Amino acid sequence: MSSRDQTIQAMRKQIDQLRNERNMKRMPISVTTAEILKYTQDNAREDVLLTGFPNDKMNPYRPKSSFQCNLI
Amino acid sequence: MSDQPGTSKDKPSTSSAHQMPENAAPQQPPSAADAATRQADQIEILAREAEELRKKLDQERQKLNDIPIQQAAERLDPLPNLGIKQRRILKGHAGKVLCMDWSQDKRHIVSSSQDGKVIVWDAFTTNKEHALTMPTTWVMACAYSPSSQLIACGGLDNKCCVVPLSFEEDIIQKKRNVATHTSYMSCCMFLRSDNLLLTGSGDSTCAIWDVESGQMIQNFHGHTGDVFAIDMPKSDTGNTFISAGADKHSLVWDIRTGQCVQSFEGHEADINTVRFHPNGDAFATGSDDATCRLFDLRADRQVCVYEKESILFPVNGVDFSLSGRILFAGYGDYRVGVWDSLKCTRHSVLYGHENRISSLRTSPDGTAICSASWDCTIRIWA
């Protein structure tokens, strides 16, 4: 197969790809970001990098001598 | 348009994106001239059609861009004071640390470096549990298996090998090559099983390998440049993964068919790192263009850019906190940026590393982040 045939084949494939992408179902940003927001809020309590540990002793990476108290 | 056979500039003058090899049909017999002209015309038509489709695709995507995420996040409280500090420093590599990965036990870490060493650490105690010497320098990628019983690593040798972790004997003797690419192996991860390995390579492909047999199960062609990063959704039985690299695009792949199903653009330079949002419907990228970006799979477009005028250095590692609210980014200017992923503002900066950060990962339970650096250290922040 000549390199031109290969180019044509690659371009056809690309066009198929673009057609498929164009035809896919999309959701508005407002909807998808609302879901991201909801996910974040639903999981915020378990997110210790965000909220800190209820008790620093629970932090496996605490330095042994430190004392901290985070009330939530 | 010059289209005579035998001329040295025998290229279709359609688009620079579709360049032909230099020796493209230089010695076609005269009888093929007509056919060549027809082909050239066809290429031009196809290029125009592709251009049209791209425009329409952009329009479709633009239509659904109704409310910016920052605006949707306005009602949220700003990020509180986080109190994230450097808690551990893992010293032992003699060269630039290039990659790291967490074990699912949330405690062990594997790291690989430019001098060919792979080290397994206990991050709680900072002890080294294994130190392996690979036959190659620049071990660019390493990964822990889901069971934590295997590690995978490789790099400039174009290979990805697997080593079982045990304290019984010299484990390097049990090293097995699983994957072979035609250029360097830049990233690897296990696919929810100790027996499936996903790799990305400088040969611009990704591939899935059977660990037991070393057979390639599926390969993924579509990138037009080196692949630098791959990721898959965390808790999902889905059949997709994403890859990104030097062609500035992130591609979403169907694992079963090997087909690219979505493609995302926006970055202005190489994409070095990619990580799924914990909800599995969005992902973040980091690039040589000094920005991180958030892309949404269902909206099929970029959602926001994390950038600041004062940030000029490449992003080499990104990851989210457990809820997705915080985006951590490791930069070439030695710092970790802490971003509010929803308000798209930078909250704070973590200082400590003394050279560029090469890799950054949140621990599987979200209690800590780990950064690897060219300063030969790995640091745990919590």
Side-chain angles (χ1 to χ4, degrees):
Chain A
M1 194 163 63
S2 82
S3 53
R4 277 217 172 130
D5 286 330
Q6 281 174 19
T7 308
I8 290 173
Q9 208 175 46
M11 290 175 82
R12 287 224 167 97
K13 205 179 147 191
Q14 199 182 24
I15 285 172
D16 283 344
Q17 174 75 37
L18 286 166
R19 281 212 184 100
N20 287 338
E21 284 191 50
R22 195 192 61 177
N23 293 336
M24 74 169 277
K25 229 180 98 197
R26 291 186 188 78
M27 291 163 70
I29 292 270
S30 54
V31 175
T32 61
T33 55
E35 288 185 21
I36 293 177
L37 256 63
K38 182 168 187 312
Y39 183 93
T40 303
Q41 288 173 308
D42 289 350
N43 290 276
R45 287 168 67 90
E46 282 78 48
D47 188 344
V48 292
L49 286 167
L50 181 66
T51 58
F53 281 93
N55 177 336
D56 201 47
K57 279 185 181 162
M58 293 163 76
N59 186 347
Y61 292 103
R62 76 188 180 278
K64 289 207 168 94
S65 57
S66 90
F67 176 76
Q68 264 185 308
C69 189
N70 291 328
L71 282 176
I72 292 169
Chain B
M1 174 176 159
S2 155
D3 201 42
Q4 292 304 306
T7 59
S8 62
K9 291 207 161 73
D10 187 18
K11 284 185 185 176
S13 63
T14 47
S15 151
S16 60
H18 304 287
Q19 59 198 34
M20 312 271 286
E22 269 178 37
N23 61 350
Q27 274 135 24
Q28 273 178 338
S31 61
D34 280 353
T37 312
R38 272 201 305 276
Q39 281 180 329
D41 288 348
Q42 204 178 355
I43 288 173
E44 209 166 81
I45 291 165
L46 287 172
R48 241 181 272 137
E49 190 178 349
E51 201 44 52
E52 274 303 302
L53 280 166
R54 274 199 200 94
K55 260 189 224 152
K56 281 185 188 148
L57 191 53
D58 272 351
Q59 285 165 3
E60 289 292 321
R61 284 177 176 147
Q62 200 51 42
K63 260 190 234 162
L64 298 170
N65 187 23
D66 47 0
I67 297 178
I69 190 167
Q70 298 93 316
Q71 195 179 322
E74 259 169 16
R75 62 190 167 86
L76 295 184
D77 291 333
L79 283 185
N81 266 336
L82 297 175
I84 298 173
K85 293 189 209 79
Q86 182 180 309
R87 303 287 190 166
R88 298 286 188 278
I89 176 162
L90 309 181
K91 287 183 181 170
H93 280 289
K96 297 166 180 167
V97 187
L98 303 178
C99 187
M100 57 75 43
D101 190 27
W102 286 94
S103 157
Q104 287 302 315
D105 70 9
K106 306 144 198 154
R107 167 168 190 165
H108 288 86
I109 285 171
V110 61
S111 62
S112 63
S113 60
Q114 179 215 0
D115 59 2
K117 289 283 196 300
V118 174
I119 299 180
V120 173
W121 310 82
D122 180 336
F124 287 179
T125 63
T126 72
N127 290 336
K128 292 189 252 318
E129 294 196 349
H130 301 281
L132 310 171
T133 305
M134 292 295 139
T136 176
T137 56
W138 289 88
V139 186
M140 300 160 86
C142 58
Y144 243 111
S145 76
S147 73
S148 298
Q149 289 171 355
L150 296 174
I151 52 165
C153 57
L156 270 195
D157 56 355
N158 302 356
K159 294 190 174 112
C160 190
C161 68
V162 162
V163 183
L165 296 178
S166 75
F167 291 103
E168 284 156 22
E169 53 213 301
D170 193 8
I171 57 173
I172 195 82
Q173 303 297 327
K174 300 213 165 171
K175 176 170 82 82
R176 278 191 304 115
N177 280 331
V178 169
T180 307
H181 282 278
T182 57
S183 180
Y184 63 88
M185 199 274 294
S186 54
C187 45
C188 63
M189 67 189 301
F190 286 85
L191 267 180
R192 298 194 192 96
S193 144
D194 278 23
N195 201 40
L196 289 175
L197 190 61
L198 172 64
T199 55
S201 163
D203 66 14
S204 45
T205 70
C206 299
I208 296 174
W209 310 81
D210 182 277
V211 171
E212 197 65 40
S213 67
Q215 292 287 306
M216 186 197 283
I217 292 174
Q218 184 68 264
N219 61 1
F220 303 89
H221 291 266
H223 278 291
T224 56
D226 303 22
V227 176
F228 293 138
I230 48 176
D231 194 31
M232 63 179 327
K234 226 184 235 173
S235 56
D236 188 8
T237 49
N239 282 297
T240 56
F241 76 93
I242 41 177
S243 62
D247 64 7
K248 308 167 199 166
H249 281 70
S250 304
L251 303 184
V252 181
W253 301 92
D254 186 322
I255 286 171
R256 294 158 302 179
T257 63
Q259 293 295 308
C260 171
V261 288
Q262 271 175 282
S263 143
F264 294 85
E265 55 185 19
H267 278 296
E268 288 156 20
D270 294 8
I271 303 175
N272 301 316
T273 175
V274 57
R275 199 70 169 145
F276 263 101
H277 187 280
N279 83 349
D281 289 321
F283 65 92
T285 50
S287 159
D288 276 354
D289 68 13
T291 70
C292 302
R293 291 169 199 247
L294 184 69
F295 296 89
D296 192 286
L297 294 176
R298 294 180 302 171
D300 194 36
R301 57 169 292 126
Q302 180 180 299
V303 176
C304 76
V305 187
Y306 307 95
E307 64 183 337
K308 268 176 97 75
E309 240 174 72
S310 57
I311 303 177
L312 305 167
F313 286 82
V315 187
N316 300 312
V318 288
D319 208 349
F320 290 96
S321 68
L322 199 76
S323 70
R325 180 67 192 271
I326 312 171
L327 177 72
F328 299 97
Y331 289 87
D333 64 2
Y334 319 170
R335 306 171 186 180
V336 175
V338 181
W339 292 84
D340 183 328
S341 74
L342 301 176
K343 292 179 182 283
C344 305
T345 53
R346 192 174 69 182
H347 172 271
S348 52
V349 177
L350 304 175
Y351 297 91
H353 280 296
E354 289 158 17
N355 204 328
R356 64 182 284 174
I357 295 172
S358 54
S359 177
L360 183 147
R361 280 291 162 98
T362 308
S363 72
D365 59 351
T367 53
I369 60 166
C370 177
S371 55
S373 162
W374 283 19
D375 68 8
C376 308
T377 71
I378 294 145
R379 297 175 198 233
I380 315 278
W381 315 76

